[in-house]
Amino acid sequence: MPNDASLATRFDEWQAQGFDAEACPVRNVLDRIGDKWTSLLLVALAAKPRRFSELHRAVPDISKRMLTQSLRDLQRDGLITRHVFPTKPPSVEYRLSPLGQSAMAPLASLIDWAERSFAEIKASRAAFDAGDTSEQMSAA
Amino acid sequence: MPNDASLATRFDEWQAQGFDAEACPVRNVLDRIGDKWTSLLLVALAAKPRRFSELHRAVPDISKRMLTQSLRDLQRDGLITRHVFPTKPPSVEYRLSPLGQSAMAPLASLIDWAERSFAEIKASRAAFDAGDTSEQMSAA
DNA sequence: GGTCTTCGGTCTCTATTCAAGACCTACTGT
DNA sequence: ACAGTAGGTCTTGAATAGAGACCGAAGACC
């Protein structure tokens, strides 16, 4: 069962292993999750399989270039599968693989946290931007 | 309780709201989590409070510039706090705020998933890079 | 028959962001 | 006196993201 302590322990282990980017799951996997679009696409596909243009409409401000690239990355990592139908204008459907579905639970818990904490984060940002220099000068 | 269905529902809600980046917790929060360094720093600070150079040593291949900037972002979002001690060479300690600690549980579950799935992801990447074009042509 | 739109992309070009490393002030040890 | 440490900032090049043009084939429109 993961908790803060085991996280810290694992951090030490990763560090001991020289923090090789190839070997470190955090760097490998979280870099992809945080890829600005990929998590959004995963959530979009969690609802149901969708086609390319459908995804493009669902996530309005992604460019085709980035959509293509993000889908390729997701496919490469085995989180989604790509199905080509040789229809008159070709249609391509993307759907979550079992591996991708297994990611939804932890991803949902993160999103859940994000929604719960969003007000507090926004408040903190506002305070920070207002010049709130609440830095403790311990033992002046 | 979050599950796939509620995620999908929320996605529809975000979409209905015009997907304003300001209002969407996923884009706001996940963008930061996936900021390449921030989650790593959060994990590093989960173990214990650390000082600037200590963090720089703990995460070997981050540049000072990015370390400074990532810490500022984290501080701005209220996930960490910054404590300046007016010692002879000034020392600055960073530590997780309560909000930051509340993020560790979902983050840990994601990292847990990442470690469990890493082998499968690596295998998938290898297959993909080997030119495994396993695209289903339904109804040839 | 000619033109317009859809679909799933690719290509090019520009703007932003990242990363490496020099530099800075103040102090400390040798 | 000189180098080194601490916590950064600044400058400069490299990688990356985004906007939008283009493409081929097939309908649908007129």
Side-chain angles (χ1 to χ4, degrees):
Chain A
M1 291 300 141
N3 55 37
D4 292 7
S6 75
L7 260 192
T9 302
R10 275 179 285 182
F11 184 85
D12 292 343
E13 286 167 12
W14 302 329
Q15 200 178 352
Q17 287 174 14
F19 246 121
D20 187 12
E22 295 306 308
C24 176
V26 179
R27 308 194 63 173
N28 253 284
V29 179
L30 283 236
D31 277 9
R32 178 139 337 287
I33 293 297
D35 218 24
K36 181 166 192 180
W37 299 115
T38 48
S39 44
L40 220 43
L41 291 176
L42 285 177
V43 174
L45 291 174
K48 62 173 188 289
R50 292 180 200 251
R51 294 172 44 186
F52 185 89
S53 344
E54 205 177 344
L55 282 168
H56 199 193
R57 280 187 295 269
V59 183
D61 50 352
I62 190 175
S63 68
K64 282 179 167 187
R65 186 184 179 279
M66 289 316 293
L67 180 54
T68 301
Q69 188 180 313
S70 303
L71 289 170
R72 284 281 186 291
D73 288 346
L74 251 15
Q75 187 193 1
R76 188 172 101 100
D77 283 5
L79 297 176
I80 64 175
T81 55
R82 181 175 186 267
H83 308 264
V84 179
F85 300 95
T87 49
K88 331 37 166 345
S91 62
V92 179
E93 192 183 76
Y94 295 92
R95 62 183 67 165
L96 246 47
S97 70
L99 180 59
Q101 288 188 11
S102 77
M104 295 315 294
L107 189 55
S109 85
L110 229 199
I111 290 174
D112 215 48
W113 174 85
E115 294 198 309
R116 280 198 313 272
S117 311
F118 192 38
E120 195 170 346
I121 289 174
K122 275 193 297 191
S124 176
R125 282 184 192 166
F128 187 92
D129 294 346
D132 178 9
T133 340
S134 63
E135 292 174 355
Q136 280 76 7
M137 293 289 190
S138 308
Chain B
M1 288 303 142
N3 56 38
D4 291 8
S6 76
L7 259 191
T9 302
R10 275 179 284 182
F11 183 85
D12 292 341
E13 288 168 12
W14 302 330
Q15 200 177 352
Q17 288 173 13
F19 247 121
D20 186 13
E22 295 306 308
C24 177
V26 179
R27 310 193 61 174
N28 252 284
V29 178
L30 283 236
D31 277 8
R32 179 139 335 287
I33 293 297
D35 218 24
K36 181 166 192 180
W37 299 115
T38 49
S39 44
L40 220 44
L41 291 176
L42 284 177
V43 173
L45 291 174
K48 62 174 188 290
R50 292 180 200 249
R51 294 174 42 186
F52 185 88
S53 341
E54 204 177 346
L55 282 168
H56 198 194
R57 280 187 295 270
V59 183
D61 50 352
I62 190 175
S63 67
K64 283 177 168 190
R65 184 185 180 279
M66 289 315 293
L67 180 54
T68 301
Q69 187 179 314
S70 303
L71 289 170
R72 285 281 186 289
D73 287 345
L74 250 16
Q75 186 193 0
R76 187 171 102 100
D77 283 4
L79 297 175
I80 64 174
T81 55
R82 182 176 187 268
H83 306 265
V84 180
F85 300 94
T87 49
K88 328 43 169 340
S91 62
V92 179
E93 191 182 76
Y94 295 91
R95 61 182 67 165
L96 247 47
S97 70
L99 180 60
Q101 289 188 11
S102 77
M104 295 315 294
L107 190 55
S109 86
L110 230 199
I111 290 174
D112 215 48
W113 174 85
E115 293 198 309
R116 280 198 313 271
S117 310
F118 193 39
E120 195 171 345
I121 289 174
K122 273 193 299 192
S124 176
R125 282 183 192 166
F128 187 93
D129 294 345
D132 177 8
T133 340
S134 63
E135 293 174 354
Q136 280 77 5
M137 294 290 191
S138 309

